[in-house]
Amino acid sequence: MQILDGVAVSTHIKEQLKQEVASLKAKGGKTPHLAAILVGNNPASEAYVGNKVKTCAELGYASTLLRFESNITEAALLAEIQKLNEDADIDGILVQLPLPAHIAENAVINSIYPNKDVDGFHPISQGKMVLGQPGFLPATPYGILLMLEYYNIDLTGKHCVVVGRSNIVGTPMSVLLSRNSRPGNATVTLCHSKTKDLKQFTLQADVIVAAIGRPRFITAEMVKEGAIVIDVGINRVDDASKKSGSRLVGDVDFDSVAPRCSYITPVPKGVGPMTICGLMKNTLNAAKNSGK
Ligand code: GUN
């Protein structure tokens, strides 16, 4: 069993991006500039956005963090996004999800100009992805592809079972794994909360992508010997042995599943750092495409 080490892979990719940005700047090119919007003070969202802003600084990108109270109206938020859309210095815009219930997520996602949609959530980005046209890929599935590429894992003809059908992970992941590309060319089954006898599918899987949002949901008896397991879950569970009283676990019961696997991602330090790589690669591309 080999651990797919998100920290090692992301460090390698970030080093490449850092060098690319430095040479871009040396040639008088544009400094990539990411704008991040955080609404409210959800602690997990705070941590994610904080990491994204910190990574921008590490790589030599510019970043702007805009914070709004959770009672901001949808109209006011859309107006703020429009300012960023029209600001020629901003290359990428990300609105951290989830948003408060009174704000329609779709309206917000659809309001971002597609050429600045570095999260890859806009219908134009997702449409291009489905059609295999160049565009921004959703950051987490993109990061997973980068990780598979780094470890030279060939999925051609493999059976991948994606568990979870969210717009930002499960659905795009199923599309990307089935595309005629590398990594890709897999046979994909997309399972979800209404799938009957989930285990019947996961037991056939050469690769399981777990993106369900339920702690330790995938257990050893659901996994075939030698499978590759990619765990997208980030769930906080009580743990009295920790000073904070809690710890992070994935959607996979790592301790029981890992011994059966050929490869497995840990949580934390697996897919999480790769999501940031996907975002940073998209932001650099946005800057390059801005024509400055
Ligand atoms: N919430 C959970 N994952 C993500 C992500 O990749 N991007 C944004 N903007 N919000 C998220």
Side-chain angles (χ1 to χ4, degrees):
M1 183 271 296
Q2 188 179 347
I3 297 279
L4 298 171
D5 182 344
V7 173
V9 185
S10 68
T11 302
H12 175 79
I13 292 174
K14 286 192 291 187
E15 199 47 51
Q16 288 177 337
L17 292 174
K18 203 165 150 180
Q19 285 173 19
E20 204 178 327
V21 171
S23 78
L24 198 68
K25 287 198 217 170
K27 285 187 253 166
K30 182 164 185 329
T31 300
H33 189 166
L34 175 71
I37 293 183
L38 179 59
V39 179
N41 47 14
N42 175 318
S45 291
E46 298 246 7
Y48 297 145
V49 170
N51 258 331
K52 292 169 185 176
V53 167
K54 197 179 86 194
T55 307
C56 282
E58 252 176 67
L59 303 190
Y61 295 17
S63 68
T64 298
L65 171 58
L66 297 174
R67 302 188 60 129
F68 301 105
E69 299 288 335
S70 59
N71 63 0
I72 186 172
T73 64
E74 185 179 304
L77 183 59
L78 292 176
E80 293 291 341
I81 293 170
Q82 192 53 21
K83 280 195 240 165
L84 298 171
N85 279 333
E86 287 169 6
D87 182 341
D89 196 59
I90 300 289
D91 300 299
I93 302 169
L94 88 82
V95 180
Q96 189 64 33
L97 304 178
L99 291 167
H102 68 278
I103 298 176
E105 246 165 48
N106 281 346
V108 169
I109 288 169
N110 294 1
S111 75
I112 296 171
Y113 281 179
N115 64 332
K116 299 193 176 191
D117 175 39
V118 289
D119 251 335
F121 294 169
H122 192 283
I124 295 226
S125 302
Q126 299 245 354
K128 285 184 169 174
M129 175 195 69
V130 171
L131 297 172
Q133 295 180 18
F136 298 117
L137 301 181
T140 298
Y142 187 17
I144 292 170
L145 294 185
L146 292 169
M147 180 179 247
L148 293 167
E149 212 172 9
Y150 178 89
Y151 283 98
N152 223 353
I153 295 173
D154 184 8
L155 299 184
T156 306
K158 294 262 169 40
H159 185 195
C160 298
V161 173
V162 178
V163 190
R165 58 178 157 187
S166 71
N167 289 342
I168 66 177
V169 184
T171 295
M173 192 78 251
S174 68
V175 171
L176 291 166
L177 292 173
S178 60
R179 289 202 310 190
N180 185 0
S181 63
R182 245 193 101 128
N185 278 319
T187 302
V188 178
T189 302
L190 180 56
C191 296
H192 47 74
S193 55
K194 302 290 187 296
T195 298
K196 287 201 179 112
D197 193 6
L198 177 64
K199 184 176 155 192
Q200 172 211 330
F201 294 97
T202 57
L203 271 177
Q204 294 177 42
D206 302 309
V207 181
I208 297 174
V209 179
I212 320 134
R214 289 166 72 174
R216 292 177 290 220
F217 183 80
I218 303 289
T219 50
E221 69 278 6
M222 299 168 79
V223 178
K224 181 172 82 172
E225 194 71 39
I228 298 168
V229 174
I230 311 285
D231 189 352
V232 185
I234 303 178
N235 309 288
R236 194 160 279 286
V237 295
D238 292 339
D239 184 344
S241 74
K242 300 276 176 211
K243 214 161 73 185
S244 62
S246 68
R247 73 187 162 104
L248 293 179
V249 298
D251 288 353
V252 174
D253 183 28
F254 184 89
D255 292 343
S256 74
V257 169
R260 304 183 72 83
C261 296
S262 53
Y263 297 95
I264 186 168
T265 63
V267 175
K269 301 186 178 176
V271 171
M274 297 310 303
T275 294
I276 300 201
C277 281
L279 176 70
M280 293 296 137
K281 280 184 83 95
N282 281 342
T283 305
L284 176 57
N285 282 334
K288 285 188 188 163
N289 293 340
S290 71
K292 289 210 198 89

